Amino acid sequence: MSDMPRRPYRVAIVGGGIVGLFTAYRLLRAGAGPVVVLERGFLSSGASGRNGGGVRQQWDSRVTVRMMREAVQEWRHFGREFGTNVWFRQGGYLFLATTPAEVTRLRQVTEAVRAEGLDGRLLEPSGALRYAPSLSLDGIAGATFLNTDGTLYPFPGVWGVYEAVRALGGEVRLGVEVTGVRTEAGRVVGLSTSEGPVDAAAVVNAAGGWSGDVSRLAGLAVPNVASRHEILATEPLKPFLDPMVIRLADGLYFSQTMRGEVVGGLAVPHPTGTRAGVPTSPAFLRSMSRSLVRLIPALAPVGVLRAWSGYYDDTPDGFPVIGEDPRLPGFFHANGFSGHGFMLSPASSKRVAQSVLGEKTDLDPALFSPGRFLDPHRRGEAEGLQPG
Amino acid sequence: MEPDPPPPPPARPAGHGSPPLTRSTRYHRPRAPFCGVGYCTNCLVRVNGVPNVRSCQYDAAPGEVVEVENAWPSARFDVLAAFDVLFPQGIDTLRGFRRPAFAVPWYQRVVRRLAGTGRLPNPSTARAPSPGRLVTTDFVVVGGGCAGRAAAESLVAAGHRPVVLEREPRTSPVPGAEWFPGTTGVFLPPPRAEALRPFELIARRSDGSALDLRARRVVVAVGGYDASLWFAGSDRPGVLTAEGAERLRPVERPGFDHAVVFGGGPRTLQILERFGNHVEAVVAPGAIDPDVARRASELDVPLFPRTLLLGVVGRRSVRRVRLAPRGGGQPAFSVEADAVVLAHRRLPHPQLFFQAGARMEWRPDVGAYGPTVGPSGATTVPGLAAAGESAGAATPDRARASGVAAANAVLAGGGWPAPDPSPPSALHHELEGYYQELLSTGPGPGKVVVCPCEDVLLGEVLEATERGYRGIEVIKRYTGLGTGLCQGRYCLPDALLVLALREHRTPREVGYITQRPPVVPTALGALAGLPDDPEAAA
């Protein structure tokens, strides 16, 4: 097919997940000019349709706490702005520690959270029961809780931003694969796609787990790694659990959705990636079930309804990559979200749009810039709080 | 002295066989058993503190505590059914409930409480994971029906001792086979070609444990099931699949007095043979087979070929069935009936083949996907063969023959016979034209609940397509259709046909229905009890 009109775009965005769509929305709202989003699959076919819906502000680094605090406000008002309900429910995030070292770790997180003006609380093990009465406290040494964290239903987020982009005149092309990045005189001039060339003054790589591939199409070496994570949903039950619960020791995370299902996974990548296309593995079902039943023994008779997998786009330091690549003018990164792209998207997309438009952002270049991995002497502080 | 003849059965009101047993999730609509084979959500009860037990699959012993779920004060009369009346067009949880802002948290609480079915299990049911077993073998046959038995017998005759998994708890084993009754294969990932035993199969057992099987070769002979149909009130008590009618029959007589049977083929003939005196009419989407017509005329059952089933009248039971001749021009009419038996379409179970990575193909004759198979039943996955309905064998004789062929296929060493690529064939199914007319006529009053597990309405599906959302995967995520406890068995096949119509594409273009494991819901406690991976330990 070659019916794609050959019109010059101001910005072409690779990836129609929540990051790409939100970026398009911000650019259109800022009057950036024609914007096109190119999605290889269908809407929500990638991680935007496969994540657990967690939204939290408890992080090691204060800059992430700040950006997430902003994202929480955006999610709270999403329905009014976009017309669809993500059902962002602020049931809190309950982190559980099993060792003194983990308790120390959680204390540091709570200090960062409180320093940003949020009501993070360090709890005795028994205090966790107040927020999740069905837990077994066996082996739990401490906990933190932040009541304004929460969970959302990801799909309506995708539909809402998609419709808003289209209403603002943005184009979203589904089923179009990017096959190359076109450059002239060392500068991006567009993309090659399965449906012909696209002319664009700027390209945003928001391809999630495939962003490393897209960067390599542009000849750019990047440290992004796609890691496969598995997740499952149980049969729907009446509400019994308000917060997202995370156990640091094994990366277990789970919450009960608005539909009643318990949805969760283990924040360790499952090393069966060589079997391409495998939705999930018996090993995950076994280890996830063991982990969940240990923490909530009453769930033992509850059935697993389905299990699936998706790709995180991991960076070595766990921080996202936002901004123009210093090696290729016109090529912008909005990737490397390391499993937290959906929750951050309302806030991160503002910075992406600002950098595309040449405006100043409030992002610390040492933490977010694409160039940070090019410095051989760099010592990044790892964003270690990975699960959920 | 002659014994007294048994007293005649007491007269029972219409619909006696299907009093509401539970209520649906969102609108609290009355529900009674539908499928009879443990897939649908219409007979869920709480047993001994465990939620969502399918009563059709559970024999409660005296003293066990069986409680109604999702209804107050009872399944027959439920206060929350007011939602069904107050929202005739449905509750729009996607776009409604956004204003005023101060009320949003309150909406959230209400909507959250409407979701879900059973309550969390009683803490007293908490127990250690049920210890599972690791079983290593050469051959596994999944399914112990006609085809599976024939395959197992062939394997035994060749000097092997196959493992046979049979879903039904009470069946007679094949001599010489290792027989696992009450066992369902739930997850068959793609084989690891390099391993001595490339296949790993997880199975769920009726005692609450799970099996981890390692095998060299696998025959899947899991049969099929009777499909649902979309019409107004298709979720009402008294609407049954053919299997539901067969299985849910009380001992001495069927659960209905005068049923409308939908379908004009072999399955309808079976229903007529079995329940002929309790059939009010035979209604078919297209032509009616001559042998069905012959039997119906012997039984004095009127025939309505090429007829739309618009809907049923009756809230807690079926009282009348509304029909309309196809082709337009003739008015709708209704017949008195206390049940609808859906016998028009039988679909193969595709899950294990899809999970294993076998190539799947659209089968226009049934309007569903099945594995691409060669003449012997070989799939595109070396070591995996299909038999019975999975391989397109519809009758018991053909199923047995396909079982023997599949056994020979997995016994044959050396090269795996690659199936020929399927020739291009008709892509449309008879029901597409049927649904075209149903949608243009309109099914009339009452909700068309296309996904009874999640109470998704036809209007929501049509609205999604009008907004430009395309493809089965997107519609599934947009509406929630097919994400409930039956895992899409009773809505996604028809959704594929209706979306093909709406999108002016072939069902194949609308997309494949992704089959996520497990095949049937499997308890966390059973999966937690699976033994450690022997290969990981080594």
Side-chain angles (χ1 to χ4, degrees):
Chain A
M1 268 165 55
S2 58
D3 57 354
M4 191 177 319
R6 186 76 189 264
R7 64 182 273 203
Y9 295 99
R10 171 73 179 83
V11 187
I13 297 169
V14 186
I18 194 74
V19 173
L21 291 170
F22 242 127
T23 299
Y25 174 74
R26 301 287 184 214
L27 286 166
L28 291 161
R29 283 288 300 269
V35 173
V36 65
V37 179
L38 303 166
E39 167 56 45
R40 179 173 60 175
F42 52 85
L43 279 181
S44 77
S45 56
S48 291
R50 294 167 181 275
N51 68 91
V55 177
R56 69 166 146 111
Q57 305 153 98
Q58 298 184 72
W59 297 87
D60 290 324
S61 77
R62 289 182 58 176
V63 60
T64 311
V65 176
R66 270 201 295 280
M67 196 144 62
M68 275 310 304
R69 195 179 55 192
E70 183 186 323
V72 161
Q73 292 310 314
E74 296 274 345
W75 286 124
R76 276 170 57 96
H77 303 124
F78 187 90
R80 261 184 290 163
E81 187 170 355
F82 293 93
T84 55
N85 289 314
V86 290
W87 294 111
F88 177 47
R89 186 174 61 77
Q90 290 178 289
Y93 253 63
L94 183 67
F95 276 92
L96 302 173
T98 43
T99 64
E102 286 173 1
V103 173
T104 307
R105 186 70 202 294
L106 287 184
R107 181 173 297 121
Q108 289 162 356
V109 168
T110 301
E111 280 162 12
V113 165
R114 296 191 71 88
E116 290 298 326
L118 295 166
D119 190 22
R121 293 182 183 189
L122 193 64
L123 305 170
E124 294 297 313
S126 59
L129 289 183
R130 193 177 145 204
Y131 304 105
S134 50
L135 293 188
S136 156
L137 292 181
D138 186 26
I140 303 299
T144 58
F145 184 77
L146 176 54
N147 60 354
T148 50
D149 288 349
T151 52
L152 52 72
Y153 190 44
F155 298 130
V158 176
W159 319 140
V161 185
Y162 166 72
E163 290 177 11
V165 165
R166 304 223 312 171
L168 290 169
E171 288 178 50
V172 181
R173 302 267 177 182
L174 303 172
V176 178
E177 182 164 5
V178 170
T179 54
V181 177
R182 293 164 44 227
T183 59
E184 270 172 27
R187 203 197 142 79
V188 166
V189 294
L191 296 163
S192 310
T193 77
S194 56
E195 298 198 2
V198 170
D199 299 326
V203 163
V204 177
N205 177 3
W210 293 267
S211 67
D213 298 339
V214 172
S215 292
R216 280 185 282 279
L217 285 178
L220 301 170
V222 292
N224 299 49
V225 173
S227 65
R228 204 169 63 83
H229 288 255
E230 300 176 50
I231 186 165
L232 61 75
T234 69
E235 57 191 275
L237 299 172
K238 288 291 172 196
F240 73 94
L241 179 71
D242 288 335
M244 174 80 88
V245 179
I246 294 184
R247 185 165 59 199
L248 286 181
D250 55 0
L252 170 73
Y253 69 92
F254 62 95
S255 68
Q256 192 183 17
T257 67
M258 283 289 289
R259 290 153 46 95
E261 300 166 334
V262 176
V263 171
L266 297 166
V268 287
H270 282 267
T272 43
T274 49
R275 288 194 272 164
V278 180
T280 184
S281 64
F284 166 71
L285 291 180
R286 180 179 55 225
S287 51
M288 176 67 193
S289 302
R290 283 184 186 176
S291 196
L292 191 51
V293 168
R294 209 182 112 205
L295 197 52
I296 303 191
L299 282 175
V302 172
V304 173
L305 202 51
R306 59 183 171 274
W308 65 98
S309 71
Y311 283 93
Y312 284 19
D313 177 19
D314 287 337
T315 59
D317 55 14
F319 281 94
V321 186
I322 295 173
E324 189 169 25
D325 197 294
R327 297 163 291 181
L328 182 58
F331 191 87
F332 293 82
H333 293 273
N335 53 53
F337 286 97
S338 305
H340 308 110
F342 204 102
M343 64 172 84
L344 263 170
S345 59
S348 63
S349 57
K350 290 183 187 169
R351 280 74 179 176
V352 178
Q354 285 166 346
S355 66
V356 171
L357 296 172
E359 296 167 9
K360 193 170 156 41
T361 74
D362 62 356
L363 297 175
D364 179 351
L367 295 178
F368 295 92
S369 78
R372 72 185 191 268
F373 300 114
L374 301 174
D375 176 3
H377 306 295
R378 181 180 163 276
R379 258 188 70 244
E381 53 176 308
E383 175 61 86
L385 206 61
Q386 283 300 307
Chain B
M1 191 177 167
E2 289 281 305
D4 288 337
R12 283 179 282 190
H16 61 268
S18 48
L21 197 56
T22 185
R23 291 278 171 159
S24 70
T25 172
R26 189 176 285 202
Y27 304 115
H28 286 253
R29 290 165 68 86
R31 294 282 166 81
F34 167 74
C35 78
V37 284
Y39 298 136
C40 79
T41 37
N42 287 13
C43 72
L44 300 181
V45 291
R46 187 178 184 90
V47 179
N48 300 330
V50 173
N52 303 346
V53 175
R54 285 164 164 106
S55 49
C56 74
Q57 302 291 299
Y58 193 89
D59 292 325
E64 292 195 297
V65 182
V66 179
E67 296 167 82
V68 170
E69 289 187 340
N70 218 34
W72 189 87
S74 72
R76 186 167 278 277
F77 178 79
D78 178 14
V79 171
L80 287 175
F83 281 98
D84 196 22
V85 179
L86 290 174
F87 296 93
Q89 304 302 317
I91 298 175
D92 185 0
T93 54
L94 179 59
R95 294 174 199 272
F97 304 104
R98 294 181 293 115
R99 290 191 175 83
F102 69 84
V104 167
W106 186 83
Y107 293 147
Q108 245 180 28
R109 274 194 283 278
V110 173
V111 170
R112 193 169 184 229
R113 273 176 179 72
L114 281 180
T117 39
R119 287 174 290 116
L120 184 71
N122 295 354
S124 61
T125 65
R127 52 179 182 263
S130 314
R133 271 180 64 188
L134 180 73
V135 178
T136 53
T137 185
D138 286 337
F139 299 98
V140 170
V141 178
V142 189
C146 287
R149 294 184 77 87
E153 283 159 6
S154 295
L155 290 165
V156 170
H160 298 284
R161 186 172 161 76
V163 166
V164 183
L165 310 182
E166 168 50 42
R167 190 168 181 263
E168 296 292 325
R170 286 174 294 272
T171 48
S172 59
V174 167
E178 196 176 346
W179 192 264
F180 286 91
T183 306
T184 309
V186 297
F187 188 18
L188 181 67
R192 287 170 295 178
E194 72 286 358
L196 176 63
R197 291 190 171 80
F199 290 96
E200 176 173 14
L201 172 64
I202 305 298
R204 181 189 89 165
R205 307 209 65 197
S206 52
D207 66 2
S209 71
L211 294 178
D212 184 346
L213 297 122
R214 306 297 171 107
R216 283 177 50 231
R217 303 281 163 95
V218 177
V219 174
V220 174
V222 288
Y225 67 107
D226 292 309
S228 183
L229 186 76
W230 292 3
F231 54 88
S234 51
D235 60 326
R236 291 295 191 202
V239 178
L240 300 160
T241 65
E243 282 164 324
E246 290 167 348
R247 301 284 187 111
L248 298 167
R249 182 176 64 100
V251 178
E252 81 284 14
R253 47 184 287 174
F256 45 82
D257 279 330
H258 45 295
V260 163
V261 180
F262 186 79
R267 203 73 179 98
T268 295
L269 187 60
Q270 289 169 354
I271 295 296
L272 283 176
E273 294 295 352
R274 189 140 171 196
F275 304 117
N277 295 326
H278 303 281
V279 174
E280 182 71 20
V282 169
V283 174
I288 291 174
D289 286 357
D291 44 354
V292 174
R294 201 174 310 119
R295 188 75 186 103
S297 106
E298 287 164 18
L299 291 161
D300 260 343
V301 172
L303 300 177
F304 298 94
R306 293 191 52 76
T307 300
L308 299 174
L309 201 174
L310 300 174
V312 297
V313 178
R315 184 165 172 76
R316 285 176 217 165
S317 59
V318 173
R319 295 205 309 274
R320 277 182 295 126
V321 181
R322 292 188 295 108
L323 305 169
R326 286 184 65 180
Q330 294 177 68
F333 61 99
S334 65
V335 297
E336 300 253 335
D338 66 350
V340 174
V341 177
L342 301 172
H344 60 296
R345 189 176 179 211
R346 216 173 143 75
L347 304 173
H349 291 299
Q351 293 90 347
L352 292 175
F353 300 102
F354 176 85
Q355 292 171 5
R359 188 165 75 210
M360 307 297 284
E361 67 183 20
W362 176 252
R363 293 190 182 160
D365 54 334
V366 288
Y369 285 94
T372 301
V373 292
S376 65
T379 68
T380 55
V381 175
L384 174 66
E389 284 181 271
S390 313
T395 65
D397 285 343
R398 288 174 56 201
R400 276 187 286 273
S402 80
V404 173
N408 289 333
V410 295
L411 280 167
W416 191 246
D420 299 328
S422 53
S425 54
L427 292 168
H428 293 272
H429 185 255
E430 143 183 81
L431 278 181
E432 272 178 80
Y434 174 90
Y435 276 128
Q436 176 97 60
E437 286 186 40
L438 183 76
L439 294 182
S440 63
T441 306
K447 288 188 174 82
V448 182
V449 181
V450 294
C451 167
C453 302
E454 293 289 326
D455 266 359
V456 177
L457 307 182
L458 177 61
E460 297 174 69
V461 175
L462 299 181
E463 195 223 297
T465 63
E466 272 154 29
R467 286 181 180 271
Y469 292 95
R470 278 161 69 89
I472 189 89
E473 288 287 357
V474 172
I475 297 298
K476 188 173 100 180
R477 289 162 169 82
Y478 189 92
T479 61
L481 173 99
T483 61
L485 267 166
C486 89
Q487 294 157 308
R489 279 179 180 81
Y490 291 108
C491 62
L492 292 177
D494 291 69
L496 207 56
L497 301 176
V498 168
L499 291 179
L501 278 175
R502 303 291 288 196
E503 298 179 8
H504 305 289
R505 299 197 287 175
T506 64
R508 218 152 64 180
E509 289 165 332
V510 170
Y512 186 75
I513 301 164
T514 303
Q515 309 286 343
R516 286 181 167 155
V519 173
V520 289
T522 304
L524 285 161
L527 295 168
L530 283 169
D532 288 320
D533 191 336
E535 289 165 37

